[in-house]
Amino acid sequence: MNIEFFREFIVLADCSNYLEAADRLFIGQSTLSKHIMSMEKELGVPLFERTSRKVALSKYGRLMLPYANTIVQTQYSYSSALQNELESERGRVTVGTIAATAKYGITAVIADFKRKYPSSSVQMFEGDPDDLASQLRERKCDVIFAHLPERNLLGMSFKKIHYLDDSLVCILPRKHPLSGQKELPLEQLRDETFIALAENTTVHQLILDCCYRVGFSPKIAFLCHRVDSVLDLVTKGMGIAILTEYMTNRPEDGNFPENAPFAIARLLPHTSVSVDLCYRKDDDLSPMAKHFVDLVRSTVSADTTD
């Protein structure tokens, strides 16, 4: 039975007059009459007792009324929920990330999300940890991917999904005397010239902390905002660099580049760097942002299972 007929039945029961009910429903009186008669024919009972001027609910109509209200309300609730879901799937998610996004597989996650929710819009920007934390704190973005020390999130209620573990490695020119080493103790680098990422990056702070712990302050000759610039300067023999392992990998397969114009050695002592998806827990995420968080969570779970 057409759900719209139930709506018309409810209005007619309230008005007790075909003309008034038809006006309220913006349909013709004859159309309303045909719809009610169709309901009565299908049910096999009269829903109204008719007089020359008014109609009144029959005992069958009174029995039907609460069920008709439930049917109409259920249809309205479902339609509203469906519309909200469709609107959420057309929503926008703002994602803040650390540098070397492709090498961390973050662009692949965003591509998967866009394929799953083609009507969505993803706004992505790269930033340093302090900037990312500030953007998250000020609600200028929904989520961030970052190797973010707890100090950056002080005073903010947040949740984290562990995305991956990275580690520090040393990058050296091919002709450097230590370029054949697979592992390098950090203290062996005390007299080297360093090329580093900008001072407000987590990696820069990690380098300082690690060097201080083994008793020296690194001599930094160049500060760069991009990983590619650091690697290019190393290739040109301007110094050595300490980066995370993922930053030196190829985006396609996550392996060290073959025949790279620089050498890579694992740093001792081993220093792990956690990359997490962070988002505020005191704030209701938009439906689309929740979809993004769920996708990252399922991606990480699948990787763990494999």
Side-chain angles (χ1 to χ4, degrees):
M1 190 178 297
N2 192 324
I3 291 179
E4 193 60 33
F5 290 2
F6 287 101
R7 194 184 314 278
E8 294 171 4
F9 164 77
I10 293 169
V11 173
L12 181 57
D14 183 57
C15 295
S16 299
N17 182 283
Y18 271 97
L19 180 58
E20 184 180 343
D23 287 343
R24 189 187 297 183
L25 292 164
F26 300 101
I27 61 175
Q29 184 176 343
S30 61
T31 300
L32 175 59
S33 179
K34 288 177 182 178
H35 291 172
I36 298 299
M37 290 175 65
S38 176
M39 290 182 71
E40 291 177 326
K41 183 178 180 180
E42 186 171 340
L43 293 169
V45 293
L47 297 174
F48 293 93
E49 296 173 352
R50 294 161 175 82
T51 65
S52 57
R53 293 186 177 181
K54 288 194 172 186
V55 293
L57 285 171
S58 68
K59 65 176 182 179
Y60 305 109
R62 289 193 295 273
L63 180 65
M64 168 68 77
L65 186 58
Y67 294 102
N69 279 314
T70 299
I71 290 169
V72 170
Q73 183 58 47
T74 300
Q75 191 269 342
Y76 173 78
S77 298
Y78 165 73
S79 297
S80 297
L82 179 61
Q83 186 61 35
N84 288 339
E85 183 67 16
L86 289 173
E87 289 177 359
S88 75
E89 292 180 0
R90 299 186 186 99
R92 185 177 74 176
V93 182
T94 303
V95 182
T97 78
I98 49 180
T101 306
K103 296 182 179 183
Y104 279 108
I106 295 170
T107 48
V109 171
I110 290 173
D112 287 344
F113 177 76
K114 185 64 177 176
R115 280 190 287 268
K116 188 171 183 178
Y117 300 98
S119 299
S120 66
S121 171
V122 181
Q123 180 179 349
M124 185 177 71
F125 67 93
E126 293 184 356
D128 60 76
D130 288 333
D131 182 48
L132 292 174
S134 176
Q135 295 280 340
L136 187 63
R137 185 180 293 108
E138 295 172 12
R139 303 175 188 272
K140 293 181 179 178
C141 64
D142 298 302
V143 299
I144 59 174
F145 286 95
H147 30 63
L148 210 57
E150 296 295 327
R151 62 178 176 80
N152 294 82
L153 292 170
L154 289 176
M156 183 168 62
S157 183
F158 69 97
K159 288 185 176 180
K160 290 197 300 187
I161 297 174
H162 180 62
Y163 180 62
L164 57 81
D165 284 314
D166 205 348
S167 57
L168 294 182
V169 293
C170 183
I171 317 298
L172 307 100
R174 277 291 180 190
K175 294 182 179 180
H176 193 283
L178 299 175
S179 64
Q181 303 293 320
K182 297 296 183 182
E183 295 181 334
L184 277 174
L186 185 58
E187 55 265 26
Q188 278 191 247
L189 307 177
R190 65 172 60 246
D191 296 323
E192 299 290 339
T193 298
F194 281 77
I195 302 161
L197 287 172
E199 293 177 345
N200 51 6
T201 61
T202 300
V203 173
H204 185 99
Q205 189 59 51
L206 277 172
I207 294 170
L208 296 183
D209 293 344
C210 291
C211 292
Y212 292 160
R213 279 200 296 271
V214 296
F216 74 94
S217 177
K219 294 179 289 187
I220 299 175
F222 300 92
L223 286 174
C224 305
H225 288 280
R226 296 185 58 84
V227 172
D228 290 346
S229 299
V230 174
L231 295 176
D232 191 51
L233 285 169
V234 172
T235 300
K236 289 178 169 54
M238 295 294 101
I240 68 166
I242 294 177
L243 297 172
T244 67
E245 184 173 336
Y246 273 83
M247 288 180 176
T248 67
N249 290 350
R250 293 179 300 192
E252 316 87 62
D253 56 17
N255 294 319
F256 286 162
E258 296 176 4
N259 302 317
F262 50 80
I264 300 173
R266 301 191 186 280
L267 207 58
L268 298 177
H270 175 78
T271 302
S272 180
V273 182
S274 176
V275 178
D276 305 302
L277 178 75
C278 304
Y279 56 99
R280 294 179 306 275
K281 64 182 178 182
D282 63 343
D283 179 45
D284 288 331
L285 291 171
S286 69
M288 188 55 69
K290 289 178 182 177
H291 289 322
F292 186 86
V293 170
D294 289 341
L295 177 67
V296 174
R297 184 180 288 111
S298 64
T299 300
V300 171
S301 298
D303 289 343
T304 302
T305 302
D306 293 343

